[in-house]
Amino acid sequence: MPEVSKMKKPDVKVVLLGDMNVGKTSLLHRYTERKFKDTISTVGGAFFLKQWGPYNISIWDTAGREQFHGLGSMYCRGAAAVILTYDVTNWQSLAELEERFLSLTDTANHDCIYAVVGNKADLTDPKAQLSQVSDMASEDRSDYEESIEPQVLSACPTPPASPASLSGITLHKQVTLEDAVALYGRILRYKGLEEKSSLPAEKMCFETSAKTGYNVDTLFEALFDLVLPSILRKRNENQESPTVDLEECRGGSSNKRARSACC
Amino acid sequence: MERDNHQEGEAQGVKICDLPRESNPPADALATSLSLLGSHMFPDPVERNNSITVNKEEPADSLPDGTAEEESLDAEPHSNQVTELETEDTESTECQNNVSTQPSDMGTEDAATDNDRSDSGEFVVTMLAKAKLEEQGIGVKGRSSPLLEAGTQEIPAFMSHRDEDVTADSWRQHRKHVFVLSEAGKPIYSRYGSEEALSSTMGVMMALVSFVQSGDNIIRSVYSDGHTVVFLQKGPLVLVCVSSSRQTEQQLRGELLYVYYQIISMLTQASISRIFEHKKNYDLRRLLAGSEKILDGLLNLVDSDPSFLLAAVHCLPIASSLRDALSQILQKAITPNLVFSILIAKNQLLTIVQEKTVIEDTRLEPADVHLLLNLIGASSAFQAGEIWTPICLPLFNPDCYFYAYISYLDPPECTVCLLLLSTDKEAFYAVAECKKKIEEAMMAQNALSLIAKVQSYSVSQVGVSDLRHFMYKPFDVPDNYRQLTQFTSPEMEAPYSSEEEKMRLLDLYRYMHSRIHSTSRPLKLIYHVAERETLLAWVTSKFELYTCFSPLVTKSCAITAITKLLRWIKKEEDRLFIRYPPKYSTTPNPSKSSRGGKSDQQDSTDNGFLSLL
């Protein structure tokens, strides 16, 4: 099994950022556990390891609360991809991305890629109420909606999914995809990147629903595919990540133990 | 004429204890604000003869509040006038009337009766009247007709406490309310109901606090027949508890202190004072948003877990050999700046290993461990990941953060939790590596399955008939000097298996505890024959013991039983307590994590949060 323990070392880092209650934890949970459930507000940041083919992708699910704002840049250090998440029913959550979260990404890799993701699309978009996930059948309403054309939208107000939606839940879509695309353009400018040479906005802006699973896999898989070059390059560069740095400076006998266990 | 009556009555009804008469603020103003608060918090249409007692203290000296309390309890309810005000207020229409007339009355009253009334007093009353008016405005909308009231009392299960209708009777009937507000009167937290809906109630609370403050006093508590209102001011925060639990003021204040500490553990005292120095009317909910569940969880624990009452930690009883083995595993998995390694199972302590220099400087306080356990319990919904979060241990150092690594070792059951505290913000990967080592070592020793078998014990194991339950808190576990205070207690079994019965027993213990720790008349030994059980509490220089017997036990029987129990505990000591607290050394430079090096440490750990401001 040395193969497996070696695999445990993360190759690349993806960070989820965004205001509280936009559904970062739910998105990740939908992707990793194929389920939607009530989450409670994340404290600090939670670290996950995702196997992607032969690679290990570390995902940091950060707390959106202002309380933990100061930690954001630490979580972003050396990130290869940042998922900036907002809530399509909450304009402020998009504005916060620019005001509060964009500056945190200063510590990310210089070639970091950015995705702008509008979650809770099921609340505003009929097509997002269709689950894309096959195992959804058992879950609420999806059967029903798959058989009938989904115009149930305003008829049955979706119950507040997460601790979310304290900020007034309207089925009114406050943020359009165009807004997100515009934000993406501003991000590139902030980063001093050429729009021409960067990934096109239409590839990097998503609308998702953690509740139904709509676009969630698409999002993560597209990102993972995009960060692969970064992984490969990093491997060639002999792994100069902060992870390894810290490990290298550790001395003492305990270090040897860890090594022998690893290799 | 009627108004004059009011004046007299109020002056009697509101009892301001232990104060020289001349420094009294205008009692009627105070009474008005009290009744305004009262009408919202506990209007009681049935029992009309409430006596409300205000208990205050001079800031400098602490008064023996025990005596004050007894006085108030013994006092005849001779304050019909105050009650009258209250009952008036419960009728919303009449109250509107009442409030609107009040300001105009004020002038005549002033001229007629009061010559030492200060301007601030009038201001408070007017302000309170306004606040009340607003409140009623909100209240009237949501109020259902008396006929429908029975139906509205039930809160639908899907509704969280935060969505509760604060004008409903069911809201008022909660056993214990807790409110946190800022000195500017801004709501920060309410245990039940949303802070927005309660903003005027909290305004009234703040008005009470600042009104008493303006007379160079501190408001400590307000007693009415069914409720105790306890105030606690901590820096820029004001905490208020409104309780019908019959706990003493001292106990309730202790609970408020836990709430305060939990807030500090998330934000640090330094940053809270900094925020409010900077901006008096800052809305702290911005920083605490999302943490309500942690505070909710804490308050539920405070109500149901005697650790808080005893200020001691309950550790899981396991064979000392297993505990030692686990400690050794933790002891070996270290990295620079790691200060505490804590292993928790079923929300109880398995073992705790501490950095040597740190523990030489300070001891880890039970309250800090309680806060950590609560944090873990409240944030366990998404258990698969490894959490890295700043956390302050308020009793250890209220101004600095530790960085906590939290991970479950047995997913998906998630009962065994590892908590590693470091002083280095950047140490996540190094600390995660420690977890890997711990995981591997535990695997090798099959420790997880051994832990899974661990259970709390039954009181029957003691082998004393008639003994139903006990709590034993030693002061001198050998080698435990400057160590965590612990206690041991068996599972609560029949007849205390239902939630209500558990609570009843805990209430009895709380009563015994209050008698033992009474500031005015502390007792060493109490034999208390209650309705359905007999309790014996005993405190010596070596331990504090609370026992519960079946009702038919005799005094001599109980004494013999306690002798047997103490013998049994002595025999089982190794299993029941963490006896030899292990240590490790992870700081090459001792000043790095010890209190001595606090100042440099503060700068390095606090940096990230300074950016908040």
Side-chain angles (χ1 to χ4, degrees):
Chain A
M1 294 297 276
E3 193 73 29
V4 175
S5 32
K6 203 174 176 182
M7 281 292 123
K8 283 283 173 189
K9 202 149 279 173
D11 296 302
V12 74
K13 184 164 169 182
V14 176
V15 183
L16 277 156
L17 288 183
D19 203 3
M20 61 182 280
N21 291 333
V22 298
K24 298 175 294 298
T25 303
S26 296
L27 270 179
L28 188 58
H29 196 247
R30 161 61 76 185
Y31 180 64
T32 55
E33 311 281 315
R34 329 299 305 160
K35 275 191 294 219
F36 178 80
K37 67 167 185 187
D38 266 6
T39 60
I40 58 172
S41 186
T42 309
V43 287
F47 175 86
F48 294 84
L49 214 53
K50 169 79 187 169
Q51 286 273 314
W52 182 249
Y55 306 107
N56 281 294
I57 295 176
S58 66
I59 306 174
W60 274 103
D61 173 29
T62 65
R65 290 140 69 170
E66 213 174 313
Q67 183 196 337
F68 297 113
H69 195 66
L71 279 182
S73 53
M74 180 240 153
Y75 297 128
C76 287
R77 184 159 306 130
V82 173
I83 304 176
L84 293 158
T85 319
Y86 64 92
D87 172 352
V88 291
T89 64
N90 180 354
W91 173 263
Q92 187 58 32
S93 70
L94 185 81
E96 289 284 328
L97 286 181
E98 211 169 348
E99 282 164 26
R100 214 144 58 83
F101 293 98
L102 192 52
S103 61
L104 297 181
T105 63
D106 291 352
T107 52
N109 279 354
H110 58 92
D111 60 348
C112 176
I113 58 169
Y114 297 89
V116 182
V117 176
N119 193 31
K120 305 193 191 172
D122 59 295
L123 295 177
T124 61
D125 201 346
K127 73 171 185 289
Q129 292 187 342
L130 286 174
S131 89
Q132 288 193 330
V133 192
S134 50
D135 61 7
M136 274 292 293
S138 56
E139 283 189 36
D140 49 325
R141 302 211 323 268
S142 55
D143 275 351
Y144 169 64
E145 281 165 16
E146 262 160 340
S147 51
I148 310 171
E149 265 307 293
Q151 338 106 326
V152 269
L153 174 58
S154 52
C156 59
T158 320
S162 41
S165 353
L166 292 169
S167 47
I169 183 160
T170 43
L171 296 180
H172 180 65
K173 189 167 181 170
Q174 292 192 3
V175 188
T176 66
L177 198 57
E178 285 72 50
D179 299 324
V181 167
L183 174 66
Y184 184 75
R186 290 198 297 278
I187 292 171
L188 291 185
R189 251 183 319 227
Y190 174 83
K191 295 281 160 194
L193 295 169
E194 286 292 321
E195 228 166 294
K196 295 269 160 54
S197 57
S198 307
L199 292 158
E202 54 270 26
K203 258 180 100 175
M204 299 313 289
C205 294
F206 298 83
E207 288 194 342
T208 61
S209 164
K211 190 174 165 73
T212 65
Y214 171 75
N215 250 352
V216 174
D217 288 1
T218 323
L219 161 72
F220 284 100
E221 280 159 17
L223 271 188
F224 293 165
D225 282 338
L226 286 167
V227 294
L228 273 182
S230 164
I231 294 177
L232 295 170
R233 192 175 31 73
K234 202 167 123 194
R235 286 216 163 156
N236 292 337
E237 276 174 14
N238 212 7
Q239 303 200 336
E240 275 181 65
S241 82
T243 322
V244 182
D245 282 350
L246 277 170
E247 301 227 300
E248 294 302 305
C249 26
R250 277 192 354 207
S253 57
S254 56
N255 201 15
K256 272 182 201 130
R257 274 175 80 87
R259 246 189 229 143
S260 60
C262 271
C263 312
Chain B
M1 186 61 220
E2 196 210 326
R3 197 67 209 173
D4 278 347
N5 263 339
H6 253 87
Q7 290 299 315
E8 273 178 43
E10 280 157 6
Q12 282 178 352
V14 178
K15 204 166 161 192
I16 295 147
C17 303
D18 305 276
L19 271 177
R21 199 66 200 157
E22 55 274 13
S23 75
N24 277 357
D28 57 331
L30 197 55
T32 318
S33 41
L34 274 176
S35 61
L36 286 169
L37 180 64
S39 71
H40 186 73
M41 289 306 305
F42 35 89
D44 202 339
V46 188
E47 278 175 77
R48 306 227 149 172
N49 49 351
N50 291 358
S51 79
I52 297 184
T53 310
V54 184
N55 197 356
K56 299 191 298 181
E57 72 167 348
E58 299 276 5
D61 62 329
S62 70
L63 58 90
D65 48 350
T67 43
E69 180 201 321
E70 267 170 27
E71 264 177 57
S72 76
L73 288 176
D74 296 341
E76 272 298 302
H78 49 91
S79 61
N80 287 327
Q81 306 303 331
V82 173
T83 325
E84 204 174 302
L85 245 182
E86 267 191 62
T87 42
E88 266 174 30
D89 283 0
T90 53
E91 301 300 319
S92 55
T93 46
E94 262 181 80
C95 178
Q96 297 256 8
N97 196 2
N98 177 13
V99 168
S100 58
T101 56
Q102 217 153 8
S104 58
D105 278 2
M106 207 63 72
T108 51
E109 271 169 42
D110 264 343
T113 56
D114 229 333
N115 32 17
D116 65 335
R117 177 199 295 271
S118 64
D119 287 349
S120 66
E122 274 177 63
F123 170 73
V124 169
V125 174
T126 328
M127 206 175 84
L128 287 171
K130 273 189 192 149
K132 193 62 205 169
L133 203 58
E134 278 166 29
E135 183 111 296
Q136 291 297 331
I138 300 166
V140 171
K141 261 185 242 163
R143 181 158 290 183
S144 56
S145 85
L147 285 173
L148 289 172
E149 219 138 76
T152 53
Q153 281 185 14
E154 284 160 43
I155 308 154
F158 61 84
M159 251 167 81
S160 86
H161 286 313
R162 219 136 310 284
D163 306 324
E164 262 187 74
D165 177 8
V166 300
T167 59
D169 273 358
S170 57
W171 182 82
R172 294 197 175 99
Q173 275 154 14
H174 286 298
R175 184 179 140 107
K176 197 182 285 164
H177 281 275
V178 172
F179 307 93
V180 182
L181 40 144
S182 73
E183 265 185 324
K186 275 233 160 119
I188 293 170
Y189 169 79
S190 163
R191 187 179 187 184
Y192 305 107
S194 84
E195 294 87 14
E196 283 92 352
L198 290 165
S199 59
S200 47
T201 303
M202 296 211 204
V204 172
M205 288 171 181
M206 194 55 229
L208 276 172
V209 169
S210 42
F211 179 70
V212 175
Q213 215 164 31
S214 69
D216 276 337
N217 270 313
I218 295 171
I219 188 162
R220 289 162 53 93
S221 57
V222 178
Y223 288 94
S224 82
D225 246 11
H227 289 80
T228 308
V229 185
V230 177
F231 294 83
L232 174 70
Q233 260 176 289
K234 274 293 198 178
L237 302 186
V238 177
L239 297 98
V240 184
C241 172
V242 179
S243 159
S244 58
S245 66
R246 299 274 166 210
Q247 279 171 272
T248 63
E249 185 182 331
Q250 212 180 342
Q251 288 172 348
L252 294 170
R253 184 163 291 117
E255 296 182 3
L256 285 180
L257 204 54
Y258 277 116
V259 174
Y260 174 70
Y261 285 146
Q262 188 81 67
I263 294 173
I264 292 301
S265 80
M266 298 184 272
L267 299 175
T268 75
Q269 192 164 276
S271 79
I272 290 180
S273 359
R274 214 157 43 218
I275 288 166
F276 284 104
E277 263 166 38
H278 198 67
K279 203 172 164 217
K280 268 250 175 305
N281 63 345
Y282 184 84
D283 186 356
L284 201 63
R285 280 182 306 160
R286 271 180 66 187
L287 288 181
L288 282 177
S291 309
E292 301 89 350
K293 289 234 167 104
I294 293 175
L295 293 175
D296 291 349
L298 176 78
L299 287 168
N300 291 339
L301 269 185
V302 162
D303 279 342
S304 62
D305 182 347
S307 333
F308 292 85
L309 177 73
L310 295 174
V313 172
H314 195 189
C315 73
L316 206 58
I318 52 171
S320 59
S321 57
L322 177 57
R323 200 176 326 258
D324 291 347
L326 292 172
S327 305
Q328 274 169 21
I329 291 173
L330 295 186
Q331 234 169 336
K332 281 175 188 153
I334 52 171
T335 180
N337 298 321
L338 190 68
V339 280
F340 292 112
S341 305
I342 303 173
L343 201 58
I344 297 150
K346 296 162 188 149
N347 267 318
Q348 287 177 2
L349 218 53
L350 272 174
T351 184
I352 180 164
V353 187
Q354 308 170 44
E355 217 287 328
K356 218 164 81 200
T357 44
V358 173
I359 207 61
E360 275 162 17
D361 278 357
T362 34
R363 54 189 274 173
L364 188 59
E365 292 290 331
D368 283 340
V369 177
H370 293 154
L371 298 177
L372 284 172
L373 289 178
N374 176 52
L375 176 83
I376 291 166
S379 50
S380 58
F382 197 18
Q383 290 151 328
E386 298 162 55
I387 288 168
W388 183 245
T389 183
I391 180 134
C392 161
L393 300 183
L395 288 140
F396 191 90
N397 182 344
D399 299 324
C400 298
Y401 283 113
F402 282 104
Y403 292 86
Y405 171 93
I406 305 168
S407 177
Y408 284 88
L409 298 176
D410 60 340
E413 285 83 16
C414 297
T415 55
V416 182
C417 181
L418 176 69
L419 175 66
L420 302 171
L421 289 180
S422 167
T423 52
D424 182 2
K425 183 179 173 181
E426 309 285 338
F428 171 80
Y429 294 100
V431 173
E433 198 60 41
C434 292
K435 180 238 179 174
K436 229 166 278 171
K437 270 184 243 167
I438 291 166
E439 217 168 24
E440 280 162 18
M442 285 181 75
M443 191 98 82
Q445 300 188 17
N446 199 22
L448 276 180
S449 63
L450 292 173
I451 293 171
K453 281 186 216 136
V454 171
Q455 274 177 349
S456 194
Y457 57 96
S458 156
V459 70
S460 62
Q461 289 177 30
V462 183
V464 178
S465 58
D466 289 334
L467 182 65
R468 288 180 174 178
H469 192 260
F470 67 88
M471 304 193 294
Y472 175 82
K473 171 180 158 184
F475 296 133
D476 66 337
V477 176
D479 295 301
N480 211 17
Y481 173 63
R482 288 168 73 80
Q483 257 295 318
L484 217 47
T485 315
Q486 300 168 50
F487 80 100
T488 187
S489 177
E491 295 273 17
M492 282 197 187
E493 292 162 287
Y496 308 107
S497 28
S498 74
E499 285 309 309
E500 295 77 46
E501 284 299 298
K502 273 184 190 154
M503 195 53 114
R504 203 174 58 77
L505 178 59
L506 279 176
D507 281 343
L508 285 166
Y509 280 146
R510 285 189 188 108
Y511 169 74
M512 302 293 274
H513 183 269
S514 74
R515 296 297 302 272
I516 292 264
H517 294 272
S518 156
T519 42
S520 56
R521 220 178 334 153
L523 296 172
K524 291 228 175 284
L525 183 72
I526 312 171
Y527 182 75
H528 176 75
V529 182
E531 215 174 311
R532 279 178 269 171
E533 51 273 292
T534 296
L535 291 105
L536 202 156
W538 186 20
V539 60
T540 72
S541 60
K542 294 203 164 118
F543 61 82
E544 193 171 322
L545 173 69
Y546 299 85
T547 49
C548 170
F549 294 94
S550 64
L552 298 175
V553 78
T554 61
K555 210 174 278 182
S556 61
C557 244
I559 302 284
T560 331
I562 284 185
T563 319
K564 269 192 198 161
L565 171 63
L566 290 174
R567 214 174 290 143
W568 181 82
I569 291 171
K570 185 85 202 143
K571 197 174 79 194
E572 298 287 323
E573 214 165 31
D574 282 342
R575 195 168 67 89
L576 301 177
F577 300 104
I578 301 174
R579 291 199 56 197
Y580 306 100
K583 295 165 192 148
Y584 50 60
S585 178
T586 59
T587 44
N589 167 16
S591 75
K592 194 76 210 272
S593 69
S594 71
R595 265 205 166 161
K598 190 164 83 181
S599 51
D600 11 313
Q601 198 57 32
Q602 184 166 353
D603 289 336
S604 63
T605 53
D606 231 349
N607 264 343
F609 287 82
L610 284 168
S611 67
L612 278 177
L613 316 167

